[in-house]
Amino acid sequence: MSELKAKALEALKNFEIEGSVKSCEPYGNGHINDTFLVICDTQKGEHWYILQSINTKIFVPTEVMSNIEKVCDHLKTKTDNPREILVLVKTTDKKAYFIDGDNRCWRVYEFVTDSLCLELPESVEDFKECAKAFGKFQKNLADFPAETLYETIKDFHNTPKRYKDFLKAVEEDVVGRAADVKEEIEFVKQREAFYSVLLDANKAGELPLRVSHNDTKSNNVMLDKATRTALCVIDLDTIMPGFSVTDFGDSIRFGASTAAEDEKDLSRVSLDIELFKAYVDGFLENLKDDFGSSEIMLLPEGAKMMTVECGMRFLTDYLSGDTYFKTKYPEHNLDRCRTQFKLVKEMEDNWDTLKEIVKQYC
Ligand code: ADP
Ligand code: GN1
Ligand code: MG
């Protein structure tokens, strides 16, 4: 048994779970937290849970959990269906998380029953469902008091700040990788003028701050297994005040690509315009009355910003010796960076088309 699994099983004893633990195995493809699927035997049959150890190198657990509890309580007032919200399982002393002897922070969620989580959407309809889920999520949080949220990662989608961090990593070149990625470094530098466009639009009053999710990949939405309709948005660690267009954009960079985020064969990586169109439609279904035309017109900028920023983050991590994102092999972050830059290039080549698509909603 791995050391972490042994710790997971120990931690589990502190939560009010039903039945006896039948299995506890690593689960999902998240790059940040350690996730386990826990299956318990109860008198009524199997009961499934998600057990997670929060990455404390990145997050302050008390802040993350405070945000999640508040947001889940708020979302509970918007629906009667328990499958539409994340449900935290309390510890035996009625807390939302447990800190173990190694200072690891654990939490348990009810597994959303009879659900699917897609690494990549398998159809236009799937992707549109993800869009509706994130759109509705944002709509449901429109009346949430944003000032009560912690900023769980400072400057998370502050792209000019990410660019500064990138330049520092290039200069320090701690693992001697910079010479081999000159082309990628140049790609980031050439786009410097773009990085502030969303912050500038915010200052100009064209893009309001909203409560946003900030990590809107398709594997952060649960769909109903039978109907494939959206049920629930998960992975709430980065809920903070932010921009709607970056929530939109992060979904596009991940889900409107024709290949996985770490595809090595770049000829398979392309921006699927049909998927882009479907996502705009689904996302704005619940939001178009709340959005002004300037916000809608900035959706393509949101897509390009999230894609170039994410590529820059992967490259920064590659140059820094892979200390942030989980990697499976030495060039993993570089492969991820290259898919993002390919998508950025395609967005630039199709810019007028992307703008035309969103213009129809103004
Ligand atoms: P990370 O921050 O590491 O991405 P997530 O919270 O997204 O962690 O969880 C990783 C994966 O675990 C998800 O992509 C999903 O497949 C699964 N998962 C997480 N929470 C639930 C849940 N409540 N019900 C069902 N599956 C879940
Ligand atoms: C991380 O946790 P996960 O795998 O859903 C990252 C996102 C990146 C994403 C790239 C807290 O998301 O910002 O866009 O990887 N999360 C954090 O796939 O940094
Ligand atoms: Mg996730």
Side-chain angles (χ1 to χ4, degrees):
M1 190 196 298
S2 79
E3 205 184 319
L4 187 60
K5 180 172 161 180
K7 290 187 170 143
L9 285 168
E10 263 315 296
L12 208 48
K13 291 180 186 159
N14 297 280
F15 287 87
E16 284 187 333
I17 54 169
E18 283 184 39
S20 56
V21 179
K22 179 166 147 187
S23 66
C24 171
E25 295 301 329
Y27 192 72
N29 283 311
H31 297 342
I32 305 295
N33 296 318
D34 290 307
T35 302
F36 292 85
L37 169 63
V38 175
I39 303 182
C40 293
D41 267 334
T42 77
Q43 285 177 344
K44 290 174 270 164
E46 284 183 355
H47 196 124
W48 290 26
Y49 297 97
I50 287 287
L51 168 68
Q52 285 182 321
S53 160
I54 304 171
N55 187 327
T56 46
K57 274 201 274 178
I58 297 174
F59 294 112
V60 178
T62 46
E63 296 185 359
V64 169
M65 295 312 293
S66 160
N67 282 4
I68 294 178
E69 282 193 278
K70 283 188 192 127
V71 165
C72 289
D73 282 347
H74 184 85
L75 293 177
K76 248 185 255 168
T77 65
K78 307 280 173 174
T79 175
D80 294 326
N81 183 354
R83 292 170 76 216
E84 286 184 7
I85 27 164
L86 265 181
V87 179
L88 279 164
V89 176
K90 290 271 159 78
T91 61
T92 45
D93 53 0
K94 310 288 174 216
K95 295 216 175 78
Y97 57 90
F98 169 73
I99 310 267
D100 71 12
D102 299 334
N103 232 5
R104 269 184 180 274
C105 178
W106 298 88
R107 70 178 167 219
V108 175
Y109 288 115
E110 293 285 349
F111 191 98
V112 179
T113 51
D114 301 313
S115 64
L116 274 180
C117 177
L118 300 174
E119 267 317 301
L120 270 186
E122 288 161 15
S123 66
V124 175
E125 290 74 30
D126 284 348
F127 198 41
K128 191 164 172 180
E129 283 302 315
C130 294
K132 285 192 208 165
F134 283 118
K136 190 167 159 199
F137 183 79
Q138 203 155 94
K139 174 97 182 161
N140 283 339
L141 289 173
D143 57 346
F144 181 87
E147 67 286 356
T148 65
L149 289 176
Y150 287 101
E151 192 180 0
T152 56
I153 299 181
K154 208 171 160 4
D155 293 320
F156 191 53
H157 286 319
N158 179 339
T159 315
K161 170 73 172 48
R162 294 280 186 190
Y163 181 59
K164 272 195 199 147
D165 295 345
F166 159 79
L167 290 178
K168 189 162 171 265
V170 175
E171 198 186 298
E172 292 178 351
D173 194 18
V174 287
V175 282
R177 285 171 163 174
D180 299 330
V181 291
K182 281 197 185 116
E183 213 178 299
E184 287 77 11
I185 292 173
E186 241 351 87
F187 187 95
V188 179
K189 288 186 173 171
Q190 277 161 5
R191 286 158 180 79
E192 180 178 357
F194 175 71
Y195 302 142
S196 60
V197 296
L198 297 180
L199 294 174
D200 291 346
N202 172 253
K203 276 187 212 135
E206 289 159 7
L207 184 64
L209 266 184
R210 299 181 184 275
V211 176
S212 51
H213 181 280
N214 295 305
D215 190 3
T216 51
K217 303 198 280 196
S218 50
N219 64 9
N220 286 333
V221 178
M222 307 307 298
L223 304 181
D224 183 286
K225 206 185 240 168
T227 61
R228 292 182 91 94
T229 49
L231 282 173
C232 173
V233 166
I234 62 168
D235 202 345
L236 307 180
D237 298 336
T238 49
I239 288 185
M240 292 174 260
F243 301 135
S244 60
V245 301
T246 53
D247 267 6
F248 167 84
D250 199 40
S251 292
I252 296 298
R253 73 145 197 98
F254 191 80
S257 169
T258 52
E261 191 184 59
D262 57 358
E263 173 62 55
K264 281 174 181 291
D265 178 357
L266 289 183
S267 70
R268 299 178 63 181
V269 181
S270 192
L271 176 76
D272 185 323
I273 304 280
E274 277 317 298
L275 287 177
F276 179 93
K277 218 189 243 171
Y279 199 94
V280 174
D281 203 56
F283 189 67
L284 291 180
E285 191 174 287
N286 287 303
L287 294 171
K288 50 180 175 289
D289 296 339
D290 303 347
F291 281 20
S293 18
S294 56
E295 192 165 17
I296 293 176
M297 285 310 289
L298 283 166
L299 290 170
E301 276 83 353
K304 181 174 158 186
M305 193 68 77
M306 283 302 91
T307 315
V308 74
E309 182 193 279
C310 197
M312 194 193 300
R313 290 173 64 197
F314 288 140
L315 187 55
T316 304
D317 200 32
Y318 181 70
L319 292 167
S320 312
D322 307 314
T323 58
Y324 185 89
F325 296 105
K326 285 187 192 173
T327 50
K328 295 195 172 127
Y329 55 92
E331 282 77 39
H332 205 164
N333 270 321
L334 181 58
D335 287 339
R336 289 170 175 153
C337 147
R338 287 181 171 149
T339 61
Q340 301 309 291
F341 292 171
K342 171 92 190 278
L343 291 171
V344 170
K345 187 74 185 49
E346 291 216 357
M347 287 174 192
E348 290 170 349
D349 293 345
N350 289 284
W351 199 246
D352 293 345
T353 310
L354 303 185
K355 285 281 183 184
E356 270 311 308
I357 292 170
V358 298
K359 200 170 164 192
Q360 290 161 30
Y361 295 84
C362 287

